[in-house]
Amino acid sequence: MTIAVIGTGFIGGTLGRAFARAGHATVFGSRHPDDKSVAGDTGATTAGVPDAIAEADTVLLALPAAAVEDLLRTHGATLDGKLVIDAANNVGGPVANHAGLVARFAPGARYARAFNTLGGENFADPVFDGVAADLFYSCAEADRETMDTLISAVGLRPMYLGEGQQDVVDGMLRLWFALAVGQGHGRNLAFRTLTR
Ligand SMILES: NC(=O)c1ccc[n+]([C@@H]2O[C@H](COP(=O)([O-])OP(=O)(O)OC[C@H]3O[C@@H](n4cnc5c(N)ncnc54)[C@H](OP(=O)(O)O)[C@@H]3O)[C@@H](O)[C@H]2O)c1
């Protein structure tokens, strides 16, 4: 697997470095590819956005929601046959995810909704009192193993919600905001599922 991380800010940087540290071939897709600093010492590479998408089979969207449609319009054909992981949140919009835009502009891509329900602090430090937080996600069953691998690479416990469950995933996003921000618990807040 080669994963392209589009967006080299807080979320893209944190996740891309974690993937690379776990040994996955990772290329950051950046508007300023000569700046290699986002990779740090992880072995990840940096390229322009088109080159990063072209060389990957899995593409993580870690850019502002306002930039997603243009990216998909421009690169929809290149995304054919690839897995697109949507971490971008259209906060305040009618729908926070971009499943509809991926289906429209990149119909040959596969879609996963993940890495969007927790503040990025919890991707950088996912363990609470020795227990890894859960990351809730949705994708086709066939992509589950890939997603579990990438989520585990970050140190989170994968919690699969099924295919086409991006709205349920986004419910966790709303819950996170309600607790972390609305109720003032702070951004170092995550979830763990209890079963017996
Ligand atoms: N912050 C969080 O805790 C959090 C948690 C979960 C999900 N998210 C979601 O993750 C996404 C990124 O958030 P962030 O906090 O990482 O933001 P950020 O730190 O501002 O980083 C955004 C990155 O996107 C890049 N970018 C912007 N427009 C682009 C374009 N047209 N093409 C390529 N790259 C572009 C920026 O590159 P330049 O340097 O070139 O401007 C920057 O590297 C957002 O959709 C957000 O909703 C955020």
Side-chain angles (χ1 to χ4, degrees), residues 1-3 19 24 57-60 82-85 110 112 114-115 135 137-154 158 160:
M1 164 167 55
T2 298
I3 179 158
F19 298 151
H24 302 294
D57 45 61
T58 302
V59 177
L60 174 75
K82 301 181 196 266
L83 175 63
V84 173
I85 305 172
R110 307 184 318 276
F115 297 115
L135 189 81
Y137 75 100
S138 170
C139 67
E141 182 72 39
D143 291 315
R144 193 171 165 183
E145 190 178 337
T146 299
M147 293 303 299
D148 283 353
T149 299
L150 290 174
I151 293 165
S152 301
V154 176
Y160 183 56

Side-chain angles (χ1 to χ4, degrees), residues 87-150:
N89 288 324
N90 187 12
V91 177
V95 179
N97 66 72
H98 303 89
L101 288 178
V102 171
R104 184 169 167 201
F105 296 115
R110 307 184 318 276
Y111 180 81
R113 181 65 163 154
F115 297 115
N116 68 302
T117 52
L118 301 173
E121 294 82 351
N122 306 293
F123 299 150
D125 186 3
V127 177
F128 292 73
D129 289 335
V131 179
D134 285 341
L135 189 81
F136 297 89
Y137 75 100
S138 170
C139 67
E141 182 72 39
D143 291 315
R144 193 171 165 183
E145 190 178 337
T146 299
M147 293 303 299
D148 283 353
T149 299
L150 290 174

Side-chain angles (χ1 to χ4, degrees), residues 6-12 29-32 49 61-65 67 70-71 87-91 115-121 123 176 187:
I6 311 303
T8 56
F10 183 31
I11 295 304
S30 173
R31 295 190 288 191
H32 30 86
V49 172
L61 305 181
L63 68 176
D70 189 50
L71 180 103
N89 288 324
N90 187 12
V91 177
F115 297 115
N116 68 302
T117 52
L118 301 173
E121 294 82 351
F123 299 150
W176 187 86
R187 293 180 57 86

